[in-house]
Amino acid sequence: PRLFAFRPDGHFAYVINEIVSTVTAFAYDPVAGVLSPIQTITTLPADFKGKGNSTAEVQVSPDGKLLFGSNRGHDSIAIFRIDEDTGRLTSRGHQATGGSTPRNFGVDPTGRWLLAANQNSGTVVVFGIEKGGLSGTMFTLEVPRPVCVKFLPLSE
């Protein structure tokens, strides 16, 4: 396991498994404080033949309908639909990050944008989140070895 994300309603949680390139979904019982595994699914496409992939970041969209995970090696964002009732994941495909080694990414608080930090190519690439997936590259920013994307609240 590398990183962990709850669905906004707190009923389900997701762990991205770095070495084996999978995501495990858990049901969460807040009274008992217990996580129960319900599914493990690959972050890679079935036809991926490369070696050396590992995962890094995992995030749930603010509306709780999508889960995203980064693949370093395949250089993509894995996209999953989250079943509202069961918390189970269904693959919605992969979006190439337009660079090398997407170590981290951020989903903005409105759920409209995903920014992927490609560590080894020195870029942060902006994607639109729409229709259950990601749109093509919207904008690329040159940043030396980016490793983290965080959104800060706007001050009034």
Side-chain angles (χ1 to χ4, degrees), residues 7-130:
R7 197 169 76 176
D9 65 10
H11 296 295
F12 300 98
Y14 303 89
V15 172
I16 197 157
N17 303 301
E18 181 175 15
I19 304 302
V20 294
S21 302
T22 61
V23 173
T24 301
F26 295 87
Y28 179 62
D29 178 347
V31 175
V34 173
L35 291 166
S36 301
I38 54 177
Q39 176 192 28
T40 298
I41 187 170
T42 185
T43 63
L44 292 167
D47 62 352
F48 179 69
K49 302 291 188 234
K51 294 182 181 181
N53 190 75
S54 62
T55 62
E57 182 64 71
V58 64
Q59 290 190 26
V60 177
S61 63
D63 64 7
K65 295 180 179 181
L66 295 172
L67 179 107
F68 302 101
S70 62
N71 283 307
R72 300 176 292 180
H74 187 251
D75 296 330
S76 67
I77 302 295
I79 307 160
F80 301 94
R81 184 183 65 77
I82 300 173
D83 184 277
E84 183 178 346
D85 298 322
T86 67
R88 291 179 63 84
L89 302 172
T90 303
S91 177
R92 301 278 296 169
H94 300 81
Q95 174 66 53
T97 61
S100 176
T101 317
R103 184 176 184 90
N104 189 259
F105 63 86
V107 175
D108 90 289
T110 70
R112 293 181 56 210
W113 310 104
L114 183 145
L115 281 68
N118 293 302
Q119 181 180 11
N120 290 346
S121 58
T123 58
V124 175
V125 181
V126 179
F127 298 94
I129 299 173
E130 54 188 40

